[in-house]
DNA sequence: GTGGTCTAGACCACA
DNA sequence: GTGGTCTAGACCACA
């Protein structure tokens, strides 16, 4: 599920974190789900085990994953997803409207960033 | 108002287009507003006049700008802004919720892109 | 009540002494209370009778226990507990504050040891 | 200032964390103080740079240190110390009383741990 | 099998 | 100079 861009200025472990958070928020990874073993994921993504481990540890510290020594990492019961499911519905509606008005992906992102900036000024 | 990133893989003229569209959608450029002379804008952005001209011509072709020979470029009466103002309100609400849940700019963009992808699958 | 750590660098008889003193200070063993027969305690802890006996004798020498030949060991009338009950209250307060500031057991011990060291410098 | 016990079951980076927290709480490291460069500290402690870095990063995440890229790590303005200075005075008093009653370091620690356990039962 | 810690060393980014 | 990320690989602990 995870795709990395090794040329991106965003560090690899952060890319992994972003994508796992995304999966959790979108409800594609549910509480209790087991993640692939770190060594397996490292091999698949062609990165070092420590890089994957670092991402998983950060997610654990944030309460999104839980580690069970000797067994693996699991999505924690705490439900980021549930809290955000309604917001995601709004985002889907926004995206749909954008598309209907011929706004492309890049303009969509530009608008998101601009709104992000504005809101923090308040 | 316009800031360019010359290292970005997005072509300069496309960046100019994106930012002017953004200003129009957010209502910061209104129908009838005059844009700066192409030579002035080219000088300010330190790019070639033709690059700015190409951007303005593309925007004219899309009906967002209108050129009045000898006078300059103006935001056209057709109002992209009005149609989208409600959608922008939704986007602001989404961004606000994201922030309240500790979701940062990068995760916000990742979610936008993912939803964008999903919607086109349907 | 007593739990031994056989891998600890602290000798077994010293561990028994520490834990009985602890029980007395915390008021869970009161003056006059009878201790289990040495053979019973040795069996329960899976150590040699002499090890328990040595611990009890040391405690007797310190005036904390009293042996009554043919009857067993008893907590002596002298009350270490009474003298320290107020100090234990202070310790409880310190522990409570530590917890409220997110200081864990290990940091608590580190601070205790450091203060111990400092005080002996004076 | 920092002394490591490489045979301890407590991981090295945690030992570093504990000792820096201790120094901050005891007021021996004050807000704004610069920590030694990670490479220097690693050399002095004879551990790998990454191990020191991990400790410093954890402390940064906890808000105790702040990193200034290219300049070093500094004790953050947030003052754990100030909040705890009174508690430390209580601890000093407890330690003093313990000593006056002939309670040694080990018994002191045993009592601390016991009180710690009791309080969490409540 | 699977996570957790650590080392040695490379290379990059900010100052 | 000083922090930040990453790799390759060793060794340990829990299951």
């Amino acid at each position: 599920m995870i795709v990395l861009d090794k040329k991106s200025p965003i560090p690899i472990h952060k890319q992994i974190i972003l994508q796992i958070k995304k999966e959790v928020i979108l409800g594609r990874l549910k509480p209790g789900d087991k993640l692939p073993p770190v060594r397996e994921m490292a091999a698949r993504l062609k990165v070092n085990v420590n890089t994957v481990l670092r991402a998983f540890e950060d997610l654990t510290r944030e309460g999104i994953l839980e580690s069970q020594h000797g067994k693996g990492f699991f999505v924690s019961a705490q439900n980021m997803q549930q809290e955000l499911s309604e917001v995601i519905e709004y985002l889907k509606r926004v995206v749909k409207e954008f598309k209907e008005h011929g706004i492309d992906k890049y303009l969509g992102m530009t608008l998101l960033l601009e709104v992000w900036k504005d809101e923090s000024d308040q």
Side-chain angles (χ1 to χ4, degrees), chain A residues 11-115:
Chain A
I12 295 177
H13 71 273
K14 280 234 170 120
Q15 292 186 41
I16 297 174
I17 289 172
L18 283 176
Q19 300 206 31
I20 291 177
K21 280 187 180 173
K22 180 195 73 187
E23 297 295 311
V24 171
I25 290 171
L26 295 177
R28 296 197 287 226
L29 273 177
K30 291 183 205 321
D33 283 358
K34 186 183 183 305
L35 276 89
V38 286
R39 278 163 184 79
E40 189 182 313
M41 183 172 275
R44 183 147 45 85
L45 299 178
K46 289 182 184 121
V47 297
N48 191 275
V49 185
N50 285 322
T51 305
V52 176
L53 209 46
R54 180 164 175 192
F56 281 22
E57 278 167 0
D58 279 9
L59 288 164
T60 302
R61 222 171 281 121
E62 287 195 57
I64 292 162
L65 299 186
E66 283 172 15
S67 93
Q68 296 189 21
H69 199 136
K71 295 179 80 176
F73 282 87
F74 299 81
V75 178
S76 84
Q78 165 232 268
N79 41 20
M80 204 175 183
Q81 197 274 326
Q82 242 168 332
E83 289 172 21
L84 283 166
S85 65
E86 201 190 348
V87 185
I88 294 298
E89 289 314 306
Y90 276 114
L91 182 60
K92 283 183 182 169
R93 200 160 145 185
V94 168
V95 166
K96 203 176 149 209
E97 293 275 350
F98 278 175
K99 285 183 178 174
E100 284 172 10
H101 285 83
I103 291 177
D104 69 9
K105 193 162 72 175
Y106 301 104
L107 182 51
M109 278 172 54
T110 307
L111 289 167
L112 179 82
L113 288 180
E114 193 65 27
V115 170

